[in-house]
Each structure stands twice: as C-alpha cells, then as structure tokens.
C-alpha cells in the first residue's frame, strides 16, 4: 500500500519504518530540511533501539523515502498519517496548530479519495476539526472530493517502540466509515497474523482511549509513589508491598515500581491535557489532579533526602548522577526527574557530575548553557568517571549498566560512600555489606 507519514518524530518515524518493513511503500514528510537530509544519510534524530537498522534497510530497499514536500508525497499516496507534535499549551491543553496546518495542506492538494489518520495524541473532537479544515480548503478550490478521517492512536513505549509497533497489544481504529475501516484493517493485517488485535470504535471513543490509557498508567505510578512515601514513614519496605500486591492478577506488576517520578513526552502532557478537557466540560478531575500533584512532588524526593542528610547549604558538595533520560532505552529528557534534581542541587550550591548511556548529546543540547559555563555541571566520560570525588551517587534512571556496579572501584573514587537510589534498583543488604550508606524510595 502507498502511505505517507507526516512527521518524523518518535511516532512518525517508527510508524513509517515499521510499515515499510511489512512491504508497504512509505514516504515520510517533515518540514525540517536538515532532519530529512540527515535521514537520507542514515542519521536518525532520535535514539530508539532497533530503529536505526530498519530505517537504513528499508531506505536502501526503496520502500522508505524522505521528503520535506507534502504535495510531492501526495502524488502516489491515498493513506495519510498525521504524526506531528502536539505540545502542551500554557493552560495544559494540547496545541493542535501543527495538526491543523497539515490538514489544511492536505485539503489544498487532495485530488482523490483518501483516508487521513490521526496518529498524534489529540483531544477528543480533533478528527472533526481536521475534517472541517480539509473540507474548508477543498471548498476554496471548488472541489468535491470524498475523504475519511480516522483516529488510530499510538501505544508505543519509548525504548521499546519498534517492538510495540510490530507486536501490538491492540490496534484501535476509530471510524464510522466502512470504507475507511476496511482500508485501515487491510493495512494492519500483517500485524494481526497470530490473533486479532484490532478494536473498532467511534472516532471520539478512540481519541479518548489514548488519554485514558496514559492517565491510568500515570495513576498507577503516582499511587505507588504515594504508598512508598507512607511506607517510609511507617517503617515498611515498599518493595515487599509491591510484590505482595503485584501478585494479584487484578493489579499486576506493571507500572507499580516506586521511584522519583515519571517524565517523558506522554504522561505529563496527556494528564495535563485530560485535566484541561475535563475542566472545559465543567467536570472537576479530582483523581487526575492528585496524580499530577503527587508526580510533581515526587520529583523532589531525592533532593529532599539529600538535604536531610547534608543540610540545606550544599556549597562545596559534589554529586554524581547516573541517568539523565526520563527512562531507560531512550535519549529523551523531556520532563525528566534528573533535570529537576540538578536544578535544585545547583540552586543549593552543589556541583554535579552526570552520566547517561544514551542522553549525553541531549543533555549537552538541552540543559542550560550557564550550568556548563559556570562548571556547575560536568558530563562524565562514563559512569565511574561521574563518581570522582563525589559526596554521594544518585541513581535517577535504571539503565542496565548501572544494575551491577563495581563497588570496589566506586570506593576508590567516591569521597563519601553514600547511594541515593531513586529507582530501588539495589539490594539494601548487599550495598550496606559493601560499606555504603543507602537511601531508597519507601524503604
């Protein structure tokens, strides 16, 4: 099938590459000419395990193309995925300017029946606005061309996006058109070979499903962090509690790991957007407000522990941070707990040495230039280099290379043998047996 994907971020590039991997002819469109030039040379704008290989292979095979011109891509395609960014506005609402801009351009150049698919995470009612924007442009051209707008939300985890796309838990198709439904089901047929994963529903239902899914996962995380903080005050080890409740099939083990707060491009943004939608409809989303508040507070937990141990004046103190990305398997630092922690440490007078297996370039690009110029932040060559002369190690992101560290090497490097474990990654007894002081979350 001939497909055009507009947007080459996490969602667009992964979707385009995976559709091409299944034999489709895919053109990815992005206005950023530098990004398109890089993609043609095999330089990806994001880090995602497994993505680099399938992009290069399918580009070399001619199944995957890149262009900055949507009209050029439209000549051969009848299926268009809108996968552009929907950043949060100041009021928490999703900014749809890029989505609607794409819709208008589609309307300006559409010449035959097409299926336009919203892949971006968009508020309920967006498909109607996309349809109206396209229809308005067709009207200006004096054209009467049939088209359908479908909601097909993505459910990709950063760090496992390729695997999630190739082996999805579910494929949501939101449409009231049989013609569009049949086309989209045919497109996804190769991903349904072992068993049926497709769920067909109304467009607005599909749009809400994406937000409800992310809000539910964020709720589980915030709930467990709430329990962790209570456990810590009552002399209870939350890790035992986690295993006890996770064994209940109704709860499960996923997303009940206590930590120092969730981040990334999805959960914070989508919870805010869902709160905004609720308030617009005269409904007070009490649970969502609590989820967001707990997460904001949780991002300060590690700093609060540091202050409790060293006092509020951290001048002359250096801290080694392991992990900058908001989660393992990605270089994404959007809404990352590490950034909140570093800002608080620097404001309190401390200096920071930091290391991340994937996010060093991101950190160099996105952290405040003043932090580097004033030597308040140093990006280390490796995880042990980050520990030279530090008063404590602070684990923020639970990357695999951090799981079994060389404690002997650490003792030679660290000034104070102290670990603040923001993800409860280490065994307390083992760490203490090695001579380290230990502070976890809810332990």
């Amino acid at each position: 099938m001939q497909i055009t994907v507009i947007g080459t971020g996490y969602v667009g590039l992964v979707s385009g590459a995976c559709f091409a991997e299944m034999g489709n002819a895919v053109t990815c469109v992005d206005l950023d000419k530098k990004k398109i030039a890089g993609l043609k040379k095999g330089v990806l704008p994001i880090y995602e395990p497994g993505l680099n290989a399938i992009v290069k292979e399918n580009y070399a095979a001619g199944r995957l193309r890149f262009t900055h011109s949507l009209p050029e891509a439209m000549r051969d395609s009848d299926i268009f995925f809108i996968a552009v960014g929907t950043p949060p506005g100041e009021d928490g609402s999703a900014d749809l300017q890029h989505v609607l801009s794409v819709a208008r351009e589609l309307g300006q150049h559409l010449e035959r029946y097409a299926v336009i698919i919203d892949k971006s995470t968009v508020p309920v009612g967006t498909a109607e606005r996309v349809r109206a924007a396209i229809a308005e442009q067709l009207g200006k051209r004096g054209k009467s061309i049939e088209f359908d707008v479908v909601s097909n939300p993505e459910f990709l985890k950063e760090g496992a996006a390729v695997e999630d796309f190739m082996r999805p838990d579910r494929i949501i198709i939101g449409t009231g058109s049989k013609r569009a439904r049949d086309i989209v089901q045919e497109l996804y047929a190769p991903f349904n070979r072992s068993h049926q994963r497709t769920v067909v529903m109304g467009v607005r239902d599909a749009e809400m499903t994406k937000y409800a899914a992310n809000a539910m996962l964020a709720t589980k995380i915030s709930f467990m962090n709430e329990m962790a903080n209570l456990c810590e005050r009552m002399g209870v080890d939350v890790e035992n509690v986690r295993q006890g409740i996770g064994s209940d099939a109704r709860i499960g083990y996923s997303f009940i790991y206590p930590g120092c707060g969730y981040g990334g491009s999805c959960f914070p943004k989508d919870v805010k957007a869902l709160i905004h939608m609720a308030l617009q409809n005269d409904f007070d989303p009490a649970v969502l407000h609590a989820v967001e508040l707990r997460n904001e507070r949780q991002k300060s937990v590690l700093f609060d522990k540091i202050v409790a141990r060293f006092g509020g004046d951290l001048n002359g103190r250096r801290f080694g941070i392991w992990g900058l990305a908001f989660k393992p398997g990605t270089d994404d630092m959007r809404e990352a707990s590490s950034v909140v922690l570093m800002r608080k440490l620097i404001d309190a007078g401390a200096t920071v040495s930091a290391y991340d297996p994937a996010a060093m370039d991101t950190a160099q690009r996105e952290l405040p230039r003043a932090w580097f110029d004033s030597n308040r932040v140093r990006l280390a060559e490796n995880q042990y280099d980050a520990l030279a002369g530090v008063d404590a190690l602070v684990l923020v992101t639970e990357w695999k290379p951090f799981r079994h560290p060389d404690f002997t090497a650490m003792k030679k490097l660290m000034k104070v043998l102290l670990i603040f474990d923001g993800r409860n990654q280490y065994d307390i007894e083992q760490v203490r047996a090695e001579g380290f002081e230990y502070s976890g979350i809810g332990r």
Side-chain angles (χ1 to χ4, degrees), residues 185-349:
Q185 284 184 321
E186 180 185 351
L187 177 61
Y188 277 106
F191 304 92
N192 273 304
R193 289 182 65 83
S194 61
H195 65 275
Q196 182 58 248
R197 296 179 172 93
T198 302
V199 182
V200 180
M201 58 182 70
V203 175
R204 294 171 72 89
D205 305 338
E207 291 170 335
M208 178 58 92
T209 297
K210 168 63 177 181
Y211 280 103
N214 278 354
M216 173 59 80
L217 297 176
T219 299
K220 291 184 73 174
I221 295 171
S222 281
F223 174 82
M224 206 62 204
N225 283 333
E226 187 113 314
M227 290 299 100
N229 295 329
L230 181 58
C231 284
E232 193 164 316
R233 285 159 177 77
M234 298 181 68
V236 176
D237 189 340
V238 73
E239 286 302 303
N240 291 327
V241 175
R242 178 184 65 79
Q243 293 178 42
I245 67 174
S247 60
D248 187 329
R250 297 169 301 175
I251 298 172
Y253 291 102
S254 297
F255 291 87
I256 61 167
Y257 289 85
C260 49
Y262 62 76
S265 63
C266 294
F267 289 3
K269 174 174 70 73
D270 293 351
V271 169
K272 283 182 172 64
L274 194 51
I275 289 172
H276 180 77
M277 281 188 273
L279 296 176
Q280 277 192 318
N281 287 275
D282 298 319
F283 179 76
D284 178 24
V287 172
L288 295 177
H289 279 307
V291 168
E292 185 177 44
L293 179 60
R294 166 49 53 212
N295 192 59
E296 289 176 0
R297 291 178 176 175
Q298 201 67 19
K299 289 182 178 182
S300 297
V301 164
L302 286 172
F303 177 74
D304 293 341
K305 288 176 175 290
I306 290 169
V307 168
R309 173 63 172 76
F310 292 105
D313 183 2
L314 297 178
N315 277 288
R317 300 285 185 183
R318 174 174 288 275
F319 296 92
I321 293 180
W322 281 2
L324 296 172
F326 84 92
K327 62 179 284 189
T330 180
D331 62 351
D332 193 345
M333 289 179 60
R334 285 174 287 183
E335 302 280 348
S337 300
S338 63
V339 179
V340 175
L341 174 61
M342 283 191 287
R343 182 174 292 111
K344 287 179 175 292
L345 288 172
I346 291 167
D347 287 347

Side-chain angles (χ1 to χ4, degrees), residues 18-279:
C18 290
F19 278 129
E21 181 74 0
M22 288 300 187
N24 298 287
V26 180
T27 302
C28 289
V29 181
D30 200 294
L31 291 176
D32 188 333
K33 294 182 180 180
K34 185 177 179 181
K35 185 188 291 188
I36 292 297
L39 285 165
K40 289 179 178 179
K41 296 175 183 176
V43 179
L44 274 61
I46 57 174
Y47 171 80
E48 185 63 40
L51 182 60
N52 193 60
I54 64 171
V55 168
K56 288 182 177 179
E57 289 168 10
N58 284 282
Y59 181 73
R63 290 187 298 270
L64 185 61
R65 297 173 56 245
F66 300 104
T67 180
H68 63 270
S69 171
L70 180 54
E72 175 189 324
M74 291 180 69
R75 287 198 290 266
D76 299 318
S77 298
D78 300 306
I79 301 172
F80 301 94
F81 282 90
I82 301 178
V84 295
T86 54
E90 290 185 7
D91 58 359
S93 63
D95 185 345
L96 296 179
Q97 62 172 314
H98 303 301
V99 171
L100 296 177
S101 176
V102 171
R104 286 190 289 271
E105 190 169 4
L106 286 169
Q108 290 164 7
H109 300 283
L110 202 63
E111 294 294 343
R112 58 188 179 279
Y113 174 79
V115 179
I116 290 87
I117 302 172
D118 281 333
K119 199 69 174 170
S120 303
T121 301
V122 293
V124 175
T126 297
E128 296 160 14
R129 295 182 64 182
V130 168
R131 168 173 285 280
I134 295 172
E136 180 183 9
Q137 296 303 316
L138 289 173
K140 289 180 179 179
R141 295 167 55 203
K143 297 278 189 176
S144 179
I145 299 171
E146 188 179 353
F147 66 94
D148 284 304
V149 180
V150 174
S151 175
N152 173 225
E154 53 84 16
F155 297 96
L156 307 177
K157 298 185 295 292
E158 288 188 36
V162 173
E163 177 69 16
D164 287 346
F165 199 100
M166 301 301 283
R167 296 175 179 82
D169 294 323
R170 73 285 206 197
I171 299 164
I172 303 295
I173 301 174
T175 182
S177 163
K178 182 181 183 303
R179 185 177 182 183
R181 181 195 68 197
D182 290 345
I183 289 171
V184 179
Q185 284 184 321
E186 180 185 351
L187 177 61
Y188 277 106
F191 304 92
N192 273 304
R193 289 182 65 83
S194 61
H195 65 275
Q196 182 58 248
R197 296 179 172 93
T198 302
V199 182
V200 180
M201 58 182 70
V203 175
R204 294 171 72 89
D205 305 338
E207 291 170 335
M208 178 58 92
T209 297
K210 168 63 177 181
Y211 280 103
N214 278 354
M216 173 59 80
L217 297 176
T219 299
K220 291 184 73 174
I221 295 171
S222 281
F223 174 82
M224 206 62 204
N225 283 333
E226 187 113 314
M227 290 299 100
N229 295 329
L230 181 58
C231 284
E232 193 164 316
R233 285 159 177 77
M234 298 181 68
V236 176
D237 189 340
V238 73
E239 286 302 303
N240 291 327
V241 175
R242 178 184 65 79
Q243 293 178 42
I245 67 174
S247 60
D248 187 329
R250 297 169 301 175
I251 298 172
Y253 291 102
S254 297
F255 291 87
I256 61 167
Y257 289 85
C260 49
Y262 62 76
S265 63
C266 294
F267 289 3
K269 174 174 70 73
D270 293 351
V271 169
K272 283 182 172 64
L274 194 51
I275 289 172
H276 180 77
M277 281 188 273
L279 296 176

